[in-house]
Amino acid sequence: MPHQNRQLAAILFTDIVGYTTMMQQDEQNAVAVTKRYIAVLKQNVSSLGGEILNDYGDGSLCTFSSATQAVRCAVEMQQQLQMEPRVPLRIGLHIGEIFFEDGKVFGDGVNIASRIQSLGIANSILFSSEINSKLKNQQEFKSVSVGKFEFKNVEEPMEVFALCNEGLIVPKKEEMSGKLKEIEKKSTYRKWWIATAIIILLTTGFFIYKNFSSVTGFKGEKTIAVLPFENIGTDSSEVYISDGITQDIISSLSKISSLKKVIGWFSVKGFKKTIKPLNEIAKELSVAAILSGSVQNQGDKTRIIVELIEVNTNNLLWRKDFEYDSKDLLNVQSIISGQIISALQASITPEEKKQLSKQYTQNVEAYKLYRKGRWFWDKRTRESYDSAEANYKRALELDPDYALAYAGLADCYTFNQKGLSQLEGVPIARDYTTKALMLDSNLTEALTTRAFIQSHFDYDWEGAKTNFEKLIRDNPNYPIAHLYYGNVLLLTGNKEGIRETKKALALDPLSSVNNMVLGRNYYYARNYDLSIAQLQKTLTLFPESKPASVALGYSYLQKKQYQQAIDIFSKLPPGPFDMGINRNILLIHAYSVSGDKERAKAEFERIPKEEHLLLSPLIMANFYVSLGNFDEALTALERGFDNHAIGMMWLDTDPVLDPIRNEPRFKALTKKLHFN
């Protein structure tokens, strides 16, 4: 289907009701529920001739060529999901045109189906009149109208029907509190405001600002998520501009100490063109306010519409609809950020106010190239890093004093995808970081990279601690600083590192890295049960996370659950991946630890000797320790120190290395790494 451009389809949306709360209360049960739901979904959609176009983990978007088959699929799923473990699922259906762009599915029919689904409750099936008309002559289906509803961007109200077959629940209208209800409230409020404004205009003669409205004061917790601005009617190749504006606003707000939480980019970017209701997003991210907006280029003019909502009350805190010349693009984030701070009634210090209005370049084209570089860098592939580097360098050609562009280049080489070793890549990153800080000694991005190099490459733990603490004081909502600081604390024996890692995750809860690092850090803190639970959660959210699989396998080994570890390692790709980790050496280590040392030795001999130097020194040392070959283990670790392999930072905390801690060569290494 994805190769087709446009087509008419029966669209089926599913959603597990209360999934976020379920995960918070009982992760093990939530994982079991999710697995059962996915199994039932795949089985029924396939058997009834449908296709799963999007799988959201706790929901899905499916299409069918037949409305009857789509409804049959919905009924089969709901009936099966009433058996234990029960899955509280709601389903919405509609017939409409869909089209594909960049591998994603769009269309008014998709939006309508999603909104119909959001009105449902557990074990309900709702659908439009278009679907209902196809069921009139189908005696196996019984339906009832639940009323007419006004959907956003649909001129006429739409009648919604519920399937009332045995075992299904028909929701009452007062129970239907999905996205539609929020839209209706907002619409009602705006109509009231317009009427009030007209009365005031007629009675007082005062001029009412056309494009600004401010509603009741904010009373909630000062926590906010800035959703990705939508790129409207503009070449999709310029999506990096709307993403860049979003990231700039997040960066500005994260520096405001009176804001308790500002959600990071990696968590909000998944909500681009979201169909989820704002209240569900707010619950998922644990915030009280959400900013959404759109960007539309119109020649030399750019139009931005932004709206700040207090989610619990549905109050419109602030709205702005304005146009500006393209040359004024550099002022946008500071204007919007300042208005948000005011609407949230947050305090701001003179220094924070100064930082808010700071511009890092006066050249609009250089800014666009920098933002394009960051857009490519976010993709985290070798090819995208090359594109990011090229755009950063082009930005510097236009503005040689652009500190952020130097910081971007440093990031390309800190965690490089260019096949360079730490010894080759990090000195280049250090040079770019130094150039950035010479231009701006307070640049958060460059200071973070410098502190990371201090700790993870130079092993200057105390210097890194001091710099991370200053970073967090100046930028309390910057998740990366908390993440790296948590690592440094844990590496030096301070269990408060877990608290900092949790803080990073709270600020960016849907970041695959943050989720994985918390699970991995539980492992190094030797809390294996929590490590397994967190890493299982990570893999539920991000099934392709190889680092999470590696850490989970090691946690199973420490719990002597050998087969689980072998199963996890077996699912990894066969070739080498991050930091010299290879599936084969992981499996060999697992065989050895489980007691099958002969098999481990035989498998190890099959790895060509020239590949040994490409493997992670820490994992090689783990393998040799499991065999009792301490000399080879120490040799591998000494090689790792000489090459500044990044895994060496775990030398003092890795539980697998406990048998060799009293060896003189090991003690010498810990001294060189400044652990004692």
Side-chain angles (χ1 to χ4, degrees):
M1 286 179 70
H3 67 278
Q4 297 177 353
N5 187 17
R6 291 178 178 269
Q7 64 186 69
L8 193 66
I11 304 160
L12 182 149
F13 258 95
T14 66
D15 181 64
I16 299 177
V17 179
Y19 180 76
T20 302
T21 302
M22 190 189 306
M23 181 65 81
Q24 292 171 346
Q25 293 176 348
D26 188 343
E27 289 184 6
Q28 188 173 358
N29 176 63
V31 170
V33 164
T34 304
K35 287 182 178 178
R36 172 158 173 71
Y37 154 71
I38 291 173
V40 170
L41 173 75
K42 290 181 176 178
Q43 174 194 341
N44 285 285
V45 172
S46 175
S47 66
L48 288 163
E51 184 174 2
I52 302 172
L53 297 184
N54 287 331
D55 181 358
Y56 306 111
D58 61 340
S60 69
L61 161 59
C62 311
T63 58
F64 295 78
S65 58
S66 161
T68 303
Q69 293 295 81
V71 177
R72 282 189 183 129
C73 179
V75 173
E76 287 293 327
M77 287 180 63
Q78 290 291 32
Q79 289 176 346
Q80 293 176 33
L81 293 176
Q82 296 315 300
M83 304 175 190
E84 295 297 336
R86 297 169 65 91
V87 179
L89 194 72
R90 59 188 174 202
I91 298 177
L93 301 101
H94 178 58
I95 295 175
E97 188 179 63
I98 61 173
F99 65 93
F100 298 91
E101 183 178 313
D102 296 329
K104 296 181 180 179
V105 62
F106 300 99
D108 289 340
V110 173
N111 294 330
I112 292 173
S114 73
R115 288 170 182 144
I116 291 174
Q117 169 265 118
S118 74
L119 296 175
I121 60 176
N123 199 26
S124 68
I125 299 174
L126 303 180
F127 43 84
S128 63
S129 58
E130 287 83 352
I131 292 282
N132 191 60
S133 66
K134 305 293 183 183
L135 305 181
K136 285 183 177 179
N137 298 321
Q138 305 285 338
Q139 294 184 357
E140 63 184 291
F141 302 121
K142 298 177 182 179
S143 64
V144 62
S145 174
V146 291
K148 289 188 175 182
F149 298 86
E150 292 186 10
F151 289 99
K152 186 178 181 181
N153 298 327
V154 178
E155 291 184 4
E156 298 296 327
M158 292 189 65
E159 190 170 14
V160 175
F161 295 81
L163 205 63
C164 53
N165 286 28
E166 184 177 354
L168 297 176
I169 295 178
V170 177
K172 298 176 182 177
K173 192 162 186 178
E174 57 268 23
E175 294 177 311
M176 302 167 78
S177 57
K179 189 173 184 180
L180 176 64
K181 189 174 182 180
E182 288 187 4
I183 296 170
E184 286 179 332
K185 283 183 177 180
K186 198 182 298 180
S187 175
T188 301
Y189 180 80
R190 286 177 181 162
K191 290 175 183 177
W192 173 86
W193 176 252
I194 292 170
T196 303
I198 292 172
I199 294 170
I200 294 173
L201 180 63
L202 293 173
T203 56
T204 66
F206 288 118
F207 180 72
I208 303 299
Y209 286 104
K210 176 184 177 182
N211 292 319
F212 180 83
S213 63
S214 180
V215 193
T216 51
F218 180 70
K219 300 180 179 64
E221 188 178 52
K222 292 177 174 56
T223 55
I224 184 172
V226 182
L227 301 188
F229 281 23
E230 187 175 357
N231 202 44
I232 297 178
T234 308
D235 186 347
S236 60
S237 66
E238 292 193 0
V239 68
Y240 65 90
I241 295 295
S242 53
D243 282 358
I245 292 172
T246 308
Q247 290 174 278
D248 283 341
I249 294 170
I250 292 171
S251 178
S252 295
L253 294 177
S254 71
K255 296 179 174 70
I256 308 303
S257 57
S258 61
L259 295 179
K260 186 175 179 181
K261 184 194 293 183
V262 180
I263 298 297
W265 168 248
F266 288 104
S267 288
V268 298
K269 73 175 185 176
F271 294 106
K272 186 180 293 187
K273 296 185 179 179
T274 184
I275 58 173
K276 279 193 173 184
L278 290 186
N279 61 344
E280 288 188 17
I281 297 172
K283 286 180 182 178
E284 198 166 341
L285 299 176
S286 297
V287 294
I290 288 182
L291 181 82
S292 58
S294 62
V295 179
Q296 184 175 15
N297 289 335
Q298 300 169 324
D300 292 333
K301 297 282 187 180
T302 299
R303 185 185 185 195
I304 289 185
I305 302 174
V306 284
E307 190 171 85
L308 181 65
I309 300 291
E310 182 179 13
V311 180
N312 287 341
T313 62
N314 205 40
N315 279 341
L316 177 63
L317 298 171
W318 174 70
R319 185 181 189 278
K320 187 74 173 177
D321 179 351
F322 58 93
E323 284 187 345
Y324 63 91
D325 292 332
S326 294
K327 67 179 185 298
D328 294 327
L329 175 66
L330 303 174
N331 297 317
V332 171
Q333 60 86 14
S334 59
I335 294 171
I336 295 175
S337 299
Q339 294 284 2
I340 293 169
I341 293 165
S342 176
L344 294 178
Q345 299 179 356
S347 59
I348 182 170
T349 68
E351 181 58 30
E352 289 169 347
K353 191 171 185 179
K354 180 180 176 182
Q355 286 293 320
L356 199 65
S357 60
K358 186 171 186 175
Q359 292 184 4
Y360 295 97
T361 183
Q362 300 298 317
N363 189 309
V364 174
E365 291 307 312
Y367 169 81
K368 288 182 177 181
L369 287 166
Y370 166 73
R371 272 293 152 210
K372 196 170 186 178
R374 280 292 175 195
W375 186 80
F376 277 114
W377 188 81
D378 277 348
K379 293 179 178 293
R380 308 295 178 93
T381 66
R382 179 174 295 193
E383 295 76 17
S384 69
Y385 271 43
D386 288 341
S387 297
E389 182 178 16
N391 279 283
Y392 293 145
K393 287 182 175 179
R394 288 173 62 199
L396 286 167
E397 289 173 3
L398 296 177
D399 184 355
D401 294 331
Y402 197 178
L404 276 171
Y406 282 116
L409 286 169
D411 287 343
C412 286
Y413 287 90
T414 304
F415 287 107
N416 72 84
Q417 294 282 347
K418 297 172 175 294
L420 302 178
S421 68
Q422 285 280 98
L423 276 178
E424 295 169 321
V426 172
I428 299 172
R430 193 199 305 274
D431 288 344
Y432 283 130
T433 301
T434 301
K435 289 178 181 178
L437 291 173
M438 287 175 64
L439 293 166
D440 185 346
S441 61
N442 293 314
L443 187 65
T444 296
E445 291 81 354
L447 288 170
T448 303
T449 301
R450 183 181 70 174
F452 176 85
I453 292 172
Q454 273 183 296
S455 54
H456 294 57
F457 186 81
D458 296 334
Y459 312 124
D460 178 10
W461 309 111
E462 292 305 316
K465 281 181 188 177
T466 299
N467 283 321
F468 279 128
E469 286 163 2
K470 182 181 185 302
L471 262 170
I472 290 169
R473 282 196 302 272
D474 295 342
N475 201 333
N477 289 296
Y478 192 44
I480 297 175
H482 288 282
L483 191 74
Y484 292 166
Y485 183 45
N487 284 347
V488 169
L489 291 176
L490 194 63
L491 289 166
T492 53
N494 188 337
K495 296 296 178 67
E496 284 297 300
I498 294 293
R499 179 180 58 80
E500 285 297 319
T501 311
K502 286 182 176 180
K503 177 67 173 175
L505 184 58
L507 290 169
D508 215 343
L510 298 181
S511 159
S512 62
V513 172
N514 291 1
N515 275 278
M516 180 279 296
V517 168
L518 178 59
R520 183 201 65 190
N521 285 2
Y522 276 135
Y523 169 80
Y524 284 115
R526 308 191 181 212
N527 195 327
Y528 306 121
D529 289 332
L530 287 178
S531 175
I532 289 170
Q534 175 60 32
L535 292 166
Q536 286 176 335
K537 174 184 176 183
T538 302
L539 288 169
T540 298
L541 295 170
F542 311 100
E544 302 302 317
S545 175
K546 294 186 287 290
S549 293
V550 173
L552 180 58
Y554 270 96
S555 294
Y556 279 135
L557 290 179
Q558 289 299 317
K559 292 282 290 181
K560 303 187 186 310
Q561 295 175 260
Y562 303 126
Q563 191 56 52
Q564 287 92 327
I566 290 170
D567 290 344
I568 287 288
F569 291 154
S570 297
K571 294 175 183 176
L572 289 166
F577 48 93
D578 300 332
M579 298 180 291
I581 299 174
N582 180 293
R583 181 187 71 178
N584 292 338
I585 193 64
L586 294 171
L587 283 169
I588 290 167
H589 175 63
Y591 297 145
S592 179
V593 173
S594 68
D596 195 352
K597 298 188 186 300
E598 292 307 313
R599 180 180 181 182
K601 290 177 183 178
E603 294 284 347
F604 184 66
E605 288 176 1
R606 295 180 185 176
I607 300 177
K609 289 190 180 298
E610 59 268 20
E611 292 186 14
H612 289 189
L613 295 178
L614 302 176
L615 297 171
S616 162
L618 188 69
I619 290 180
M620 288 286 284
N622 285 345
F623 166 61
Y624 284 125
V625 167
S626 71
L627 291 178
N629 191 340
F630 294 171
D631 283 341
E632 289 290 353
L634 290 163
T635 299
L637 292 174
E638 287 165 347
R639 174 171 58 85
F641 172 77
D642 291 340
N643 294 331
H644 280 257
I646 194 167
M648 292 299 295
M649 64 186 185
W650 299 109
L651 186 78
D652 208 39
T653 51
D654 189 346
V656 180
L657 301 179
D658 285 354
I660 61 173
R661 293 198 182 280
N662 290 325
E663 296 287 330
R665 290 166 67 189
F666 189 89
K667 289 182 177 180
L669 275 173
T670 58
K671 188 173 183 179
K672 288 179 181 179
L673 271 71
H674 305 140
F675 285 125
N676 54 33

